[in-house]
Amino acid sequence: MADTAKRPVKIVETVLRDAHQSLLATRMSTEQMLPIIEKMDQVGYYAVECWGGATFDSCLRFLKEDPWERLRKLRAGFKNTKLQMLFRGQNILGYNHYADDVVEYFVQKSIANGIDIIRIFDCLNDIRNLQTAVKATNKEKGHAQIALCYTLGDAYTLEYWKDIAKRIEDMGADSLCIKDMAGLLTPYAADELVHALKEGTNLPIDLHTHYTSGVASMTYMKAVEAGCDIIDCAMSPLALGTSQPATEVMVETFRGTPYDTGYDLTKLAEIAEYFRPIREESLASGLLNPKVLGVNIKTLQYQVPGGMLSNLVSQLKEAGKEDKYQEVLEEIPRVRKDFGEPPLVTPSSQIVGTQAVMNVISGERYKLVPKESKKIMMGEFGQTVKPFNPEVQKKIIGDETPITCRPADLIEPELPKFEKECAQWKQQDEDVLSYALFPAVAKEFFQYREAQQTKVDQAVADKESGAYPV
Ligand code: CO
């Protein structure tokens, strides 16, 4: 090692967000988290990622929990550790572009309820879609981390990454994250990438990857040696497979080196013991599918996320065209090129995947076009790194004129409308944001919450009136 100065690597613990989103369909409840957070708070993690992404929707939809209440409880328990959330730029945590007033209010309330670091990304890496969230985070004195979706393709040269890193620093980001959602970043490519980023920016660099293709812990090692400052890991019972490398393993890998975290392995082992039964129960119930725990080399072979491959299989099955799998796999890169070579992450991964399926099963390219494909070609998601294929664009949108501005510039303020629509259920300021993101699901949750409260009130009234023996 040429550089012997101490440079402890920082670790973001993902077990309370990405790890269970990747392995357990985001079903870990607040009740399952709370008993261990005091111990987790003693580790010395750089941050604990615990909110945002799919956790919000899952709380409301499946767990019948108020996501804001979860955040407040976690904040109360984590007295020393920074809390981090994942935020999809102008989409916030949903799938549409929201007006700036909603984005700003969401950031304000996230920080007010306990978030320290907001990781903000856009599926096209169109940094205009990050501006409002970054500015709002700066204003609320939060840490704005901009995440770039890592992908491969002609457009994604080291020059591209270096240049965009510089632009991100100019935008007001406090750190930069490489978000490798598909596990495409191999160890030696990570070495080159981190060196290039370090040339482009002075910002701390965080690497976020998934174990899907089996290379992730080696990738972290090379990245850290190249100067990467922060790595995202998950406690071993919910690590590997489609989740992150294991925290304990990375901590021990770097022990005694300049990158030594200094974390106490005994403490980590105790935390791991806490999560182990959750893994075992999830395996037994089928919530955790052993299939996602293996190595999926197809992600490297076809450069598509694992989740996208399984979606393809089910789409083809539904259409009774399973024999077309190989053809669709070959069509994906062509569609991606026609669509300006975007990274493949929600929602661009679904759009490109579905279009490829339709191109193959209809027997004619772009004969069937879902409305999301049209939206992307109309510029409604933002700008792609390369121009669209003009012939394909013409075939899809005809004579309509695509937009070239930041999509949210065309959206009028939306908060007043949402406030009005959810007024009858509102019990706290934050409810309007739950409603704005997932109207139907939030409404159902609000009704459930009221019904629960009525039950409790009735029980108290019965007790006071002597209906129950004391
Ligand atoms: Co992730």
Side-chain angles (χ1 to χ4, degrees):
M1 257 168 262
D3 173 13
T4 51
K6 279 206 165 52
R7 190 165 56 73
V9 63
K10 300 180 175 80
I11 291 185
V12 174
E13 174 59 56
T14 68
V15 71
L16 302 183
R17 206 285 299 176
D18 203 349
H20 76 105
Q21 181 173 327
S22 299
L23 297 180
L24 308 180
T26 336
R27 294 298 203 281
M28 203 190 291
S29 66
T30 306
E31 214 169 282
Q32 287 177 301
M33 298 174 181
L34 293 181
I36 195 63
I37 62 178
E38 195 188 323
K39 196 159 275 172
M40 287 178 71
D41 194 33
Q42 297 163 10
V43 170
Y45 289 124
Y46 173 67
V48 169
E49 191 199 35
C50 60
W51 211 63
T55 64
F56 199 94
D57 185 16
S58 175
C59 272
L60 293 167
R61 192 187 300 261
F62 304 113
L63 302 170
K64 297 293 173 214
E65 282 186 25
D66 178 11
W68 299 97
E69 192 56 32
R70 168 180 293 185
L71 175 54
R72 289 188 286 265
K73 284 179 177 163
L74 292 172
R75 178 72 284 167
F78 281 107
K79 295 186 169 52
N80 308 301
T81 311
K82 286 179 185 157
L83 299 185
Q84 182 171 316
M85 74 173 290
L86 182 66
F87 196 105
R88 201 196 323 250
Q90 207 69 26
N91 302 156
I92 311 179
L93 311 175
Y95 303 104
N96 302 308
H97 278 247
Y98 287 91
D100 288 337
D101 62 343
V102 182
V103 175
E104 285 159 1
Y105 196 45
F106 203 101
V107 167
Q108 185 195 325
K109 284 297 182 187
S110 300
I111 293 174
N113 281 283
I115 290 293
D116 300 288
I117 303 172
I118 306 191
R119 172 177 291 168
I120 308 161
F121 77 103
D122 175 66
C123 79
L124 302 182
N125 286 339
D126 179 349
I127 63 176
R128 298 172 310 168
N129 292 334
L130 309 172
Q131 268 164 12
T132 302
V134 170
K135 263 193 207 148
T137 307
N138 294 154
K139 184 173 164 228
E140 301 299 325
K141 308 261 185 297
H143 176 120
Q145 178 178 81
I146 293 187
L148 295 171
C149 300
Y150 181 73
T151 188
L152 298 163
D154 297 343
Y156 301 94
T157 58
L158 290 175
E159 259 333 286
Y160 165 86
W161 296 112
K162 197 168 119 180
D163 174 65
I164 196 167
K166 191 174 173 335
R167 283 158 59 207
I168 276 169
E169 184 168 354
D170 295 342
M171 252 180 94
D174 296 298
S175 61
L176 181 159
C177 171
I178 291 295
K179 181 177 160 62
D180 178 22
M181 52 281 158
L184 297 177
L185 185 59
T186 51
Y188 289 92
D191 176 78
E192 281 184 344
L193 177 63
V194 172
H195 278 117
L197 293 172
K198 285 277 171 187
E199 279 174 33
T201 174
N202 291 316
L203 292 176
I205 293 171
D206 184 332
L207 182 56
H208 175 91
T209 188
H210 288 253
Y211 224 100
T212 323
S213 60
V215 298
S217 57
M218 293 180 281
T219 299
Y220 277 173
M221 194 167 147
K222 293 304 286 181
V224 167
E225 287 177 2
C228 173
D229 304 274
I230 310 163
I231 52 175
D232 290 12
C233 306
M235 288 306 303
S236 58
L238 293 179
L240 314 188
T242 49
S243 177
Q244 273 78 50
T247 308
E248 307 94 299
V249 173
M250 295 317 302
V251 164
E252 288 311 299
T253 297
F254 294 121
R255 193 166 309 278
T257 73
Y259 320 111
D260 194 339
T261 62
Y263 297 175
D264 176 357
L265 185 62
T266 310
K267 195 154 278 163
L268 289 173
E270 286 168 16
I271 297 167
E273 278 318 304
Y274 176 81
F275 286 106
R276 201 168 312 282
I278 296 180
R279 173 195 178 90
E280 298 305 330
E281 283 157 26
S282 304
L283 276 168
S285 72
L287 178 60
L288 173 53
N289 182 344
K291 261 192 185 165
V292 305
L293 295 172
V295 168
N296 184 347
I297 210 65
K298 285 204 174 80
T299 63
L300 290 181
Q301 195 181 356
Y302 299 109
Q303 302 180 358
V304 292
M308 195 174 157
L309 290 170
S310 46
N311 274 348
L312 289 183
V313 172
S314 53
Q315 279 179 325
L316 287 171
K317 220 179 208 168
E318 243 170 65
K321 305 266 185 182
E322 283 154 282
D323 56 315
K324 302 281 188 192
Y325 185 61
Q326 196 57 38
E327 267 178 73
V328 173
L329 279 177
E330 285 158 20
E331 176 65 2
I332 286 174
R334 290 193 289 259
V335 173
R336 185 171 167 236
K337 275 251 150 87
D338 292 339
F339 284 19
E341 209 169 40
L344 296 176
V345 59
T346 309
S348 55
S349 52
Q350 285 90 329
I351 301 172
V352 169
T354 306
Q355 187 63 62
V357 168
M358 292 197 167
N359 285 358
V360 168
I361 63 178
S362 72
E364 183 190 331
R365 305 187 77 219
Y366 305 107
K367 184 179 168 194
L368 297 174
V369 178
K371 73 172 192 304
E372 300 297 304
S373 289
K374 188 173 173 197
K375 268 175 91 172
I376 215 168
M377 282 289 172
M378 284 292 292
E380 288 175 30
F381 286 98
Q383 198 178 21
T384 46
V385 58
K386 285 208 163 169
F388 301 127
N389 177 336
E391 278 164 41
V392 171
Q393 189 183 31
K394 175 98 182 146
K395 187 157 184 190
I396 292 181
I397 69 170
D399 293 328
E400 288 185 64
T401 314
I403 65 165
T404 54
C405 65
R406 186 185 71 116
D409 285 338
L410 303 173
I411 310 174
E412 295 291 327
E414 293 172 310
L415 268 181
K417 180 190 78 180
F418 290 133
E419 285 283 7
K420 210 168 147 194
E421 285 175 18
C422 82
Q424 58 173 308
W425 297 292
K426 192 169 153 181
Q427 296 189 2
Q428 56 176 349
D429 289 349
E430 291 79 2
D431 285 343
V432 68
L433 293 164
S434 306
Y435 179 80
L437 262 57
F438 303 103
V441 174
K443 189 177 142 186
E444 210 173 283
F445 170 75
F446 295 150
Q447 285 165 339
Y448 168 85
R449 182 173 66 182
E450 274 182 19
Q452 291 301 103
Q453 287 158 348
T454 312
K455 261 193 228 163
V456 173
D457 290 349
Q458 193 54 46
V460 171
D462 287 350
K463 197 173 171 185
E464 281 170 358
S465 70
Y468 281 90
V470 181

